[in-house]
Amino acid sequence: GIDVHVLDKVRTGPKPDLVKRLGGRYHHDTDALAVGYDLTLECSGTGALMVEALCRTAATGTACLVGIPSAGQPAEVDLGGLNRQLVLTNQLVIATMTANRRHFEEAIQSLTRADHDWLAAMITRRLALADWQDAFDSPEEQVKTVISLSEAG
């Protein structure tokens, strides 16, 4: 019953279908997104998208920043205007990066109940440990790469 939108840079591959199978809408362009989301979760760690997430959050909404940007990613921001928006519309901005044991246990329970075919589709490539460097190649059709600790991959 939640209207979910996912923004990613890729246009093809399994990601759009995975989002659709969960009932969400997939976007590859910020121009297609609306303004006024109750909850915005920004995971990319891209400074410009962090600002975009804050600007698209609804009045009394929450923006959660999860990604960590690399140093040296300048983004033009009117901090005064952004602060005015946050305060006058009573928005909440939170950031997180850690989890405790309970969070991992809850994640395991959620994954156990999840659609296993959908979860399997998330793994788009398996590599042997000897080929670990290839995991850093990131073609658009790739979602998640698993590196097997056995030689079989």
Side-chain angles (χ1 to χ4, degrees):
I2 297 173
D3 189 18
V4 174
H5 296 259
V6 173
L7 172 67
D8 199 331
K9 64 182 179 179
V10 301
R11 296 173 183 259
T12 61
K15 288 181 182 180
D17 184 57
L18 288 167
V19 171
K20 185 177 179 182
R21 286 172 53 190
L22 285 179
R25 289 186 239 172
Y26 187 89
H27 306 276
H28 55 77
D29 184 352
T30 57
D31 293 340
L33 291 173
V35 175
Y37 294 102
D38 294 323
L39 174 64
T40 308
L41 186 64
E42 202 297 309
C43 305
S44 73
T46 304
L49 288 179
M50 292 173 145
V51 173
E52 189 82 34
L54 295 173
C55 292
R56 292 187 184 270
T57 302
T60 70
T62 301
C64 180
L65 306 178
V66 179
I68 301 173
S70 301
Q73 283 188 22
E76 287 193 34
V77 180
D78 174 2
L79 287 177
L82 182 57
N83 184 65
R84 198 167 26 265
Q85 171 195 324
L86 295 171
V87 172
L88 293 177
T89 61
N90 201 29
Q91 291 175 311
L92 173 66
V93 179
I94 59 173
T96 184
M97 67 166 262
T98 59
N100 62 36
R101 181 181 177 97
R102 177 180 54 87
H103 295 127
F104 287 102
E105 289 170 350
E106 289 173 359
I108 289 169
Q109 291 172 4
S110 294
L111 289 171
T112 300
R113 291 188 306 267
D115 178 345
H116 290 250
D117 290 335
W118 185 89
L119 288 173
M122 293 282 290
I123 299 172
T124 51
R125 193 163 60 142
R126 294 178 186 273
L127 297 173
L129 181 57
D131 300 322
W132 66 269
Q133 289 123 333
D134 295 340
F136 294 99
D137 296 334
S138 187
E140 281 195 359
E141 64 274 0
Q142 180 177 307
V143 179
K144 294 292 178 191
T145 298
V146 171
I147 298 173
S148 176
L149 297 181
S150 71
E151 289 304 312

